[in-house]
Amino acid sequence: MSDRREAVERMVAVDRAARGLSGDFLEAGARLRQRNNFRLALARYCHDMAGEAPVAWPIFKMFDQLHRYVASYMLIHNYYAWLHEKGPPPTLTALQKVTGTSERQTAGFVAAMKAGGFVVAETDPADRRVKWLKPAPAMVEEIGRSVRLFVRAADEIEDRQPALSDLLGEPDRLGELLHQSAAFVLQKGTLIHDFPRVLHFAGRDCGYSLLAAVIGAHYAAAVSGAPDALPLTLRSLAQRFQVSRAHVGNLLEEAAQSGWFSIGDGGRLIEVSDGLVAEFEQWACWQIVHYDSLMALLARKAS
């Protein structure tokens, strides 16, 4: 391991206990990182996260940006908390309290989701003036795509049969998992803010998916059996993520200037920093441990 990667390892490991993460959680993540097939499973995660959207509507534009993702994530949480645990009614007012953005921004985003058929407004039979926000299965599936793929990575690493991720093909079960995850976030805070570069990309339209494509291209060259790299040209990335070539170009230029990675002619990954790879792998460890532990609880409940 290079000195640069060791420095990043120390950076991302500081003072976890102060954030309320248990020793068991941290130890599980450290063990996971050492598994022989961890990077192969993560390569498949990256390949599928960076793949084409399942529908023609601009899903990446609407969901693949942190603030809009959080609004959707909390909308799903509110609905399933109300549905299964007698939480408060999942109204727009309730959502505006937990999104972290302005009430106007949240209302505008919800209106766009209604127009796209991703959110359904249902009338409260006890008070017809009150509207409940119900996430459509397509929203749950898209917001839960990374979740399902991380659980699938855990299935692969553990050689688990039957695979727990198969249970997440049912939107209501995936919605319940997202609800439990959001309850953790509301209590202990997000996991992503410990990883500044991952957070940087997640804050930009299609940024996280682009990062997954780049890390996937790195694994394609470095990990035996990894899926082939997806094309990284401006044209192919813009088409796949449903954004402009100029936007993709800005993201790639920012990454190159920061020394994170560089892409050459023909969309070829020239280099990626050890620090970025180490940070992404640590982030992935935490995500897998978080979702897999919640999934184990749901699987026991389902059985």
Side-chain angles (χ1 to χ4, degrees):
M1 182 181 291
S2 70
D3 291 342
R4 188 175 184 183
R5 177 172 287 196
E6 288 177 343
V8 173
E9 295 278 12
R10 290 193 297 272
M11 182 273 290
V12 300
V14 296
D15 199 18
R16 302 307 187 196
R19 292 194 56 259
L21 299 180
S22 71
D24 289 344
F25 181 98
L26 302 177
E27 290 171 10
R31 288 194 303 270
L32 186 71
R33 186 82 174 273
Q34 300 305 314
R35 297 291 292 271
N36 291 334
N37 56 349
F38 167 71
R39 288 178 179 82
L40 179 57
L42 192 53
R44 293 198 176 105
Y45 165 87
C46 289
H47 185 272
D48 288 349
M49 272 304 296
E52 292 185 1
V55 296
W57 206 73
I59 282 209
F60 284 108
K61 181 68 174 177
M62 295 307 300
F63 293 137
D64 196 2
Q65 193 271 353
L66 187 62
H67 291 304
R68 294 192 292 271
Y69 181 93
V70 168
S72 304
Y73 177 69
M74 289 301 174
L75 188 153
I76 293 167
H77 160 71
N78 285 359
Y79 178 77
Y80 283 94
W82 167 76
L83 188 66
H84 295 309
E85 298 182 3
K86 301 188 185 302
T91 62
L92 175 60
T93 299
L95 180 63
Q96 289 169 327
K97 293 177 180 178
V98 292
T99 59
T101 55
S102 72
E103 292 183 359
R104 183 177 180 180
Q105 285 178 307
T106 301
F109 178 67
V110 169
M113 292 301 95
K114 289 179 183 176
F118 290 95
V119 172
V120 177
E122 296 187 335
T123 301
D124 183 346
D127 185 347
R128 300 190 64 82
R129 295 170 299 177
V130 177
K131 302 294 184 182
W132 300 330
L133 299 179
K134 178 182 179 179
M139 170 186 264
V140 175
E141 289 167 1
E142 183 56 30
I143 294 302
R145 188 158 61 99
S146 179
V147 175
R148 179 175 51 79
L149 292 176
F150 274 131
V151 175
R152 190 190 69 181
D155 287 332
E156 182 176 343
I157 292 166
E158 300 296 339
D159 192 21
R160 197 158 49 198
Q161 298 294 335
L164 286 182
S165 57
D166 290 346
L167 297 173
L168 299 179
E170 181 183 326
D172 277 344
R173 192 162 287 154
L174 181 55
E176 175 65 14
L177 181 61
L178 289 165
H179 153 52
Q180 296 294 341
S181 173
F184 172 95
V185 168
L186 289 171
Q187 180 183 9
K188 296 187 176 182
T190 72
L191 297 179
I192 197 171
H193 284 83
D194 286 279
F195 304 100
R197 282 168 283 201
V198 176
L199 179 64
H200 169 84
F201 284 101
R204 306 292 298 277
D205 288 347
C206 86
Y208 183 76
S209 295
L210 186 147
L211 176 61
V214 169
I215 299 296
H218 165 71
Y219 287 138
V223 177
S224 177
D228 292 339
L230 294 168
L232 299 178
T233 63
L234 285 179
R235 180 179 180 180
S236 63
L237 290 169
Q239 288 180 341
R240 195 181 320 137
F241 300 142
Q242 305 160 323
V243 292
S244 71
R245 293 175 63 174
H247 176 69
V248 172
N250 289 338
L251 289 176
L252 299 184
E253 180 62 25
E254 289 172 5
Q257 290 182 354
S258 299
W260 296 335
F261 59 80
S262 59
I263 295 174
D265 295 339
R268 181 175 61 88
L269 181 63
I270 297 175
E271 63 177 349
V272 59
S273 76
D274 288 342
L276 179 63
V277 174
E279 183 176 318
F280 189 86
E281 289 180 354
Q282 186 67 51
W283 148 257
C285 282
W286 281 24
Q287 290 292 285
I288 292 171
V289 171
H290 171 63
Y291 289 118
D292 202 46
S293 62
L294 295 176
M295 190 64 219
L297 294 174
L298 290 182
R300 286 198 291 272
K301 184 186 297 184
S303 63

